[in-house]
Amino acid sequence: MARLKKTFSRVDPGFIILLAICVIAVLPFISRPGLPQETDAELHVFRLHELSLLIRGGELYPRWAPNFYHGYGYPIFNYYAPLTYYLGFLVEIMPWFDAVAGVKAVFILGMLLAGLGMYGFVRDNWGRAAGYVAAAAYLYAPYIQYIDPHARGVLAESFSFGAFAMALWAVDRLRRRPTRWRWAAAVLATAAVILSHNLMALLFFALLAGWAAWMLLFPEGPGEAHLDRRRFLPLAALFTGLALAAFFWLPVIAERDAVNLNTLIGAGDNFDFRTHFLSLTEMLSFSLRLDWAASEPAFRFNLGVAQWVLGAAGLLLLALRRVRHPRQLRFFALAALALLFLMLPVSTLIWEKLPFLPYFQFPWRLLGAAAALLAVLAGAGTEALLRMAGTARLGAERVDGRRGPLSAALLPLLVLLPIFLGLPLSQPAPWTEFGDVSTLRMSLIEQKGRWLGTTSTSDFVPATAAVIPRRNDQMMEALFTGQTLDRVNRAPGMVPQGAEVTAENLTPLDTRYHISTPESFLLRLFQFDFPGWRAAVDGQPVEIELGMPEGFIVVPVPAGEHQVDITFGSTPSRTAAAALSWTALLITLLVGWKMGAAAASEPAEALPLEPLPGWGVPLLPLLIALIASLLLLTPTGLLHHQSTPGDLQVADFMTAADFDDQIALIGYDIDSLAPAAGDTVSLSLYWQAQTEMEINYQVFVHLIDVSGRLVTQSDKLNPGEFPTKRWPLDKYVRDDHQLKLPEGLPPGDYAVSVGMWVQSEGWRLPLLDDSGTQIGDNFRVLTLSVHSR
């Protein structure tokens, strides 16, 4: 009992306040059933469901998803970071839970880890008060709080922010006082970063390794100046963690040419980084209130005003030499400035010259990492501000011998500032119940063309597939009766007359075909070939042939009775990767065992912790009051918009244009009615579906001069990046356009007209008046008065 009491006494009671700080951020996931169905969260639910079927079927680490892509299968699990799905699986296998609950739990866990890791790292370096502010600044950064988990629904990337914060804390604890448990924690946390998200793993590992190397080159104090072997432990832990995760990343690199990855980089399309740079104005702006009447509520890719103000304060105090641990803080300051620069258009040349950067696709993707660095700066600045305001910490003398009213009020203000400014983003639009999660539902979604295999751009399709095969409805019919897919091509002439072929599924990735045939033939399967698939006839390996142009598996079978086994196995790169991971695990255990005896004799480290009552008493009630206020304010609608067809609260201008009683233009925004020649004009259109549509219409925006000549235009395949066949009837669609005015355009008035058309057939939706009579095929929205520069 005494030992247990002693263990609990070592737990920081500041975690209670940290939990209160986190509540508002995770509240939407906790308080609502289901998950949104029009974000990537939906994809992650079906991936988790597929993984669960494979694990339950005996495939503990599958690299192939057999039921995806119309049942032809594809290697999504060979290339996509696996950690979030395995964490979700631990929830999904529990009674009364499903894949939706598993994905939701991982979203919540990622947010909690982000707050915990940031608090722990900053607390250990700059104290509890600084840790509270840093955790709040990080967790309520718009990209962490709303954009990734709610607007985009990207589970893996959202979780990676928590993994990074925990890894930073774990490696720093190892740097401070090496022990076997801290060594193990640092290695495992680093591996978790690598296994969380492919792209963010590159960035976060670079930041962690850069920080560890920086601390090695620029030690904080004279006691760290000599090169002790232990000072290399952070870097050793990082690279051991990297090796531990090799079972995932090494095959990704070695087998990158085995799949189609060209669609991950675009030129002039949605995946072209050139179209996703941010302006400094947008980065520094306030967050918008969300409109629950929108299919996809408008938001800004911003840093968060509280985040950049507090981060700038820390940067200023660093320049004035008022912060503690300035050498360490310089790394975070330089890294933050570098990331901010890479999100601006002036960095285009760097994106073009560094071959790996375009794979990040969206420069604004760096907002999450920038939020982490700004949070550290905010925490260090908080410690300096509180100390300057008369707060005693680390044995320093109080300015006036007591805690003044300014310092007593300053901490709650600094903690609540990012939370308060983040309240509008705590109100994502409500979502309905997710519904059934099954292979059949996934297949029906693929049939509608929303995506194939949980990706929408043919990425990760085996490179041997020269064409994307159509759906085989006869094969997929088995899902409606709960039967296993029959992947044998039984079309006329494919199986000899009198031959019998029956399938026995030993595991989801191991099928045995019992064949009796009067003559030799080619067993053709509706299944993509990919490195790892192997065929054996009566136990003897045979070479798989390719059925072109689809790239399907074809196996030669001689006459007679045979057993044909089609099994998914390893490859040389996967075997080497597994060996490297096992070696890293062995090194982790050996180093930890060797460290144990030496670390036991060292005194425990002294952390810069203030007495909790001094900070906890005024702060915790304020947090509780804020949470209670949020619960009361949410039903009033003060924190969000709720537009109606006659009251579009977010639009600058209302209008009414009826296109064939199918689509209505109900409003628009324009950033300038009097632009100069050469300017780019931003126009946002607000569309409303008036009936369910059977056609995906395209949108055009034309700039016309007084003679009727087309000057410039903006066309989109899907208005608002949302196919019209899927438009809901109770929500509007925001459709953003950019009109680039030609240089040297003569001054004068130019009309902006919009409309809907079918690109494949060349006809436009008619524009109707109030009586239903056609009055044209485009609507003149506004007039621009162009002037010369």
Side-chain angles (χ1 to χ4, degrees):
M1 186 66 182
R3 186 174 181 179
L4 184 63
K5 188 175 181 180
K6 183 179 179 180
T7 300
F8 276 106
S9 68
R10 297 175 181 174
V11 177
D12 179 9
F15 290 140
I16 299 174
I17 296 176
L18 173 67
L19 184 61
I21 290 173
C22 295
V23 167
I24 293 177
V26 301
L27 193 59
F29 287 117
I30 295 176
S31 61
R32 301 176 182 181
L35 282 169
Q37 297 183 46
E38 294 294 341
T39 71
D40 282 5
E42 189 173 10
L43 307 178
H44 296 299
V45 168
F46 286 106
R47 288 178 187 171
L48 173 55
H49 174 72
E50 179 78 350
L51 179 70
S52 176
L53 294 178
L54 290 165
I55 295 177
R56 293 169 189 263
E59 304 287 349
L60 297 183
Y61 190 72
R63 297 177 182 269
W64 185 266
N67 296 310
F68 287 173
Y69 235 95
H70 297 319
Y72 306 135
Y74 83 137
I76 182 67
F77 296 128
N78 190 58
Y79 294 93
Y80 208 90
L83 179 59
T84 53
Y85 302 123
Y86 279 87
L87 292 174
F89 174 72
L90 296 178
V91 176
E92 191 262 359
I93 60 173
M94 298 173 64
W96 306 297
F97 290 109
D98 59 7
V100 176
V103 169
K104 181 184 289 190
V106 177
F107 271 123
I108 295 172
L109 178 61
M111 288 184 161
L112 294 178
L113 291 179
L116 175 62
M118 186 57 65
Y119 168 76
F121 173 73
V122 174
R123 179 205 65 178
D124 289 358
N125 286 276
W126 291 281
R128 277 200 186 104
Y132 298 149
V133 174
Y138 188 37
L139 197 54
Y140 291 91
Y143 198 80
I144 307 295
Q145 179 193 2
Y146 174 76
I147 297 175
D148 248 18
H150 294 289
R152 301 180 65 213
V154 283
L155 178 67
E157 185 176 322
S158 181
F159 183 83
S160 73
F161 300 122
F164 169 68
M166 292 299 294
L168 182 62
W169 184 26
V171 177
D172 185 57
R173 284 171 61 82
L174 176 65
R175 178 184 69 88
R176 291 172 165 278
R177 182 171 179 260
T179 69
R180 61 170 59 164
W181 297 114
R182 292 186 178 191
W183 160 260
V187 171
L188 293 175
T190 302
V193 170
I194 305 301
L195 298 173
S196 293
H197 186 265
N198 299 39
L199 294 175
M200 300 313 296
L202 294 174
L203 176 59
F204 285 145
F205 186 81
L207 287 173
L208 289 167
W211 167 77
W214 181 280
M215 296 302 294
L216 186 64
L217 296 173
F218 304 102
E220 286 289 349
E224 296 183 8
H226 62 285
L227 286 179
D228 189 311
R229 284 184 303 174
R230 295 183 303 175
R231 291 189 54 218
F232 289 90
L233 279 175
L235 279 173
L238 289 173
F239 283 96
T240 304
L242 178 65
L244 187 62
F247 67 89
F248 162 65
W249 61 261
L250 187 54
V252 172
I253 296 174
E255 298 172 2
R256 64 188 181 278
D257 294 331
V259 291
N260 175 30
L261 295 177
N262 295 329
T263 54
L264 296 179
I265 301 179
D269 60 13
N270 186 55
F271 296 105
D272 185 352
F273 66 85
R274 298 171 187 84
T275 63
H276 294 286
F277 284 112
L278 301 178
S279 68
L280 191 59
T281 300
E282 183 173 10
M283 276 202 290
L284 302 182
S285 62
F286 285 93
S287 297
L288 298 172
R289 282 198 301 160
L290 305 174
D291 191 351
W292 286 8
S295 59
E296 296 181 3
F299 61 89
R300 288 175 175 148
F301 287 100
N302 57 333
L303 292 167
V305 172
Q307 283 73 16
W308 70 258
V309 167
L310 293 174
L315 189 63
L316 177 61
L317 291 167
L318 172 63
L320 295 175
R321 300 184 178 182
R322 297 296 183 93
V323 298
R324 298 189 186 277
H325 308 307
R327 294 184 181 180
Q328 177 174 198
L329 198 61
R330 288 190 191 104
F331 171 81
F332 293 98
L334 292 173
L337 293 175
L339 291 183
L340 295 178
F341 173 76
L342 287 173
M343 289 186 278
L344 298 172
V346 293
S347 67
T348 300
L349 183 62
I350 296 177
W351 283 79
E352 292 174 345
K353 295 299 182 182
L354 296 180
F356 63 88
L357 272 182
Y359 283 98
F360 279 83
Q361 301 169 326
F362 317 117
W364 45 253
R365 204 171 216 157
L366 304 179
L367 281 168
L373 303 174
L374 289 176
V376 175
L377 289 169
T382 294
E383 186 278 333
L385 288 173
L386 294 176
R387 180 161 34 85
M388 291 165 61
T391 301
R393 61 183 307 282
L394 246 68
E397 292 294 327
R398 293 176 180 167
V399 173
D400 56 1
R402 59 187 176 84
R403 182 173 296 122
L406 176 61
S407 61
L410 189 57
L411 177 64
L413 175 64
L414 295 177
V415 172
L416 294 178
L417 180 63
I419 301 177
F420 180 78
L421 293 182
L423 286 181
L425 298 183
S426 70
Q427 302 289 294
W431 52 76
T432 58
E433 283 280 0
F434 191 88
D436 175 54
V437 180
S438 64
T439 303
L440 173 60
R441 182 180 172 188
M442 172 64 194
S443 176
L444 293 176
I445 293 174
E446 289 186 325
Q447 185 178 25
K448 293 179 180 178
R450 287 179 56 189
W451 63 69
L452 286 174
T454 71
T455 51
S456 59
T457 55
S458 301
D459 38 322
F460 306 123
V461 173
T464 50
V467 299
I468 303 299
R470 294 182 178 180
R471 180 185 180 88
N472 187 310
D473 291 326
Q474 184 176 1
M475 180 181 75
M476 301 306 291
E477 279 293 323
L479 295 178
F480 289 88
T481 57
Q483 297 177 348
T484 303
L485 296 181
D486 179 9
R487 293 186 170 87
V488 177
N489 187 342
R490 301 180 186 273
M494 294 298 165
V495 177
Q497 187 173 3
E500 294 184 1
V501 181
T502 58
E504 177 187 2
N505 291 296
L506 306 180
T507 74
L509 301 182
D510 185 357
T511 303
R512 175 169 294 167
Y513 294 94
H514 301 274
I515 299 176
S516 176
T517 175
E519 59 183 272
S520 62
F521 76 106
L522 296 176
L523 175 65
R524 299 178 180 271
L525 302 179
F526 290 120
Q527 182 170 311
F528 285 131
D529 188 26
F530 181 73
W533 280 115
R534 297 170 182 168
V537 177
D538 298 327
Q540 297 300 314
V542 297
E543 185 175 353
I544 291 177
E545 300 179 8
L546 277 179
M548 299 304 289
E550 300 91 348
F552 287 156
I553 292 176
V554 177
V555 180
V557 180
E561 295 187 359
H562 305 281
Q563 288 185 354
V564 177
D565 292 296
I566 306 295
T567 307
F568 191 80
S570 187
T571 62
S573 63
R574 295 170 204 166
T575 301
L580 181 56
S581 293
W582 283 112
T583 301
L585 180 60
L586 180 61
I587 291 174
T588 302
L589 296 175
L590 289 176
V591 173
W593 172 76
K594 190 172 181 179
M595 290 175 61
S601 61
E602 295 184 4
E605 64 179 318
L607 296 177
L609 301 182
E610 309 87 344
L612 183 65
W615 298 120
V617 171
L619 185 56
L620 190 57
L622 285 174
L623 289 171
I624 294 174
L626 184 63
I627 295 169
S629 300
L630 174 65
L631 296 175
L632 294 174
L633 286 173
T634 298
T636 68
L638 293 177
L639 298 177
H640 65 268
H641 293 292
Q642 184 67 65
S643 294
T644 61
D647 180 23
L648 192 58
Q649 299 174 7
V650 296
D652 293 337
F653 302 95
M654 299 285 292
T655 190
D658 180 5
F659 289 92
D660 200 33
D661 290 330
Q662 296 189 58
I663 300 175
L665 179 67
I666 59 177
Y668 66 92
D669 299 332
I670 186 81
D671 66 344
S672 175
L673 291 171
D679 285 352
T680 298
V681 178
S682 296
L683 173 68
S684 296
L685 305 173
Y686 296 87
W687 303 100
Q688 180 83 49
Q690 297 178 286
T691 185
E692 292 186 1
M693 286 168 274
E694 298 180 355
I695 297 176
N696 282 328
Y697 293 103
Q698 287 71 59
V699 60
F700 64 86
V701 178
H702 290 170
L703 185 67
I704 309 294
D705 65 12
V706 292
S707 66
R709 181 179 64 91
L710 177 64
V711 175
T712 188
Q713 67 188 84
S714 171
D715 297 320
K716 280 189 176 181
L717 187 63
N718 295 308
E721 314 300 338
F722 196 2
T724 57
K725 289 170 66 173
R726 291 166 45 200
W727 283 12
L729 298 179
D730 59 342
K731 294 181 182 294
Y732 66 82
V733 175
R734 177 187 170 104
D735 182 24
D736 295 326
H737 292 267
Q738 303 286 320
L739 289 173
K740 173 63 177 176
L741 305 186
E743 297 286 350
L745 185 66
D749 291 341
Y750 295 83
V752 176
S753 65
V754 305
M756 293 283 183
W757 69 307
V758 180
Q759 185 180 37
S760 60
E761 301 177 15
W763 57 269
R764 296 180 176 182
L765 271 179
L767 178 68
L768 309 180
D769 63 13
D770 292 339
S771 66
T773 303
Q774 180 174 352
I775 56 175
D777 59 11
N778 67 88
F779 177 69
R780 181 165 295 189
V781 182
L782 55 93
T783 299
L784 294 181
S785 297
V786 179
H787 61 85
S788 58
R789 289 190 181 277

